[in-house]
Amino acid sequence: MECRIKKNLEDCPCTYESCERKGRCCECVAYHRQNQELPACYFTTAEEKSYDRSIENFIKRRGKVAWKD
Ligand code: SF4
C-alpha cells in the first residue's frame, strides 16, 4: 500500500508544524498511544491548540468514555 502522506497532510488539523510525524498517521497514532494520548484529529480546533492530547482531556471534553476495550 502506498503511503498517503500528501493527502494526510492536507487533512491534518495538527498545528504543531515542526512535528516529524505530521502526515505520518501510523507514527502519529503509535506515538500518542504509547503516551496514553490521542492524536490532534480527535480534538476540536480550539482543543487541539492547547496541545493537551491526554485521554483524560478527551473524556473531560466529551463527558463520557469514548470507546470500549
Ligand atoms: S498529533 Fe502529535 S504526533 Fe501527530 S502530527 Fe501532531 S504533534 Fe505530531
Side-chain angles (χ1 to χ4, degrees):
M1 182 180 200
E2 187 175 318
C3 184
R4 299 173 39 138
I5 190 168
K6 189 175 177 186
K7 176 76 170 112
N8 292 345
L9 284 170
E10 289 173 7
D11 297 336
C12 181
C14 184
T15 57
Y16 192 72
E17 297 298 334
S18 62
C19 180
E20 63 190 21
R21 289 171 286 275
K22 192 166 171 64
R24 296 180 167 87
C25 299
C26 51
E27 294 180 19
C28 177
V29 169
Y31 172 77
H32 284 293
R33 183 183 170 102
Q34 76 179 6
N35 291 307
Q36 299 185 340
E37 297 174 341
L38 293 166
C41 52
Y42 276 77
F43 298 92
T44 65
T45 302
E47 293 166 356
E48 187 281 323
K49 288 178 180 169
S50 75
Y51 295 146
D52 182 352
R53 314 249 193 267
S54 68
I55 292 172
E56 290 83 2
N57 186 40
F58 178 81
I59 293 170
K60 185 172 68 181
R61 298 289 184 172
R62 299 302 174 279
K64 60 184 177 182
V65 175
W67 69 77
K68 299 175 185 172
D69 189 10

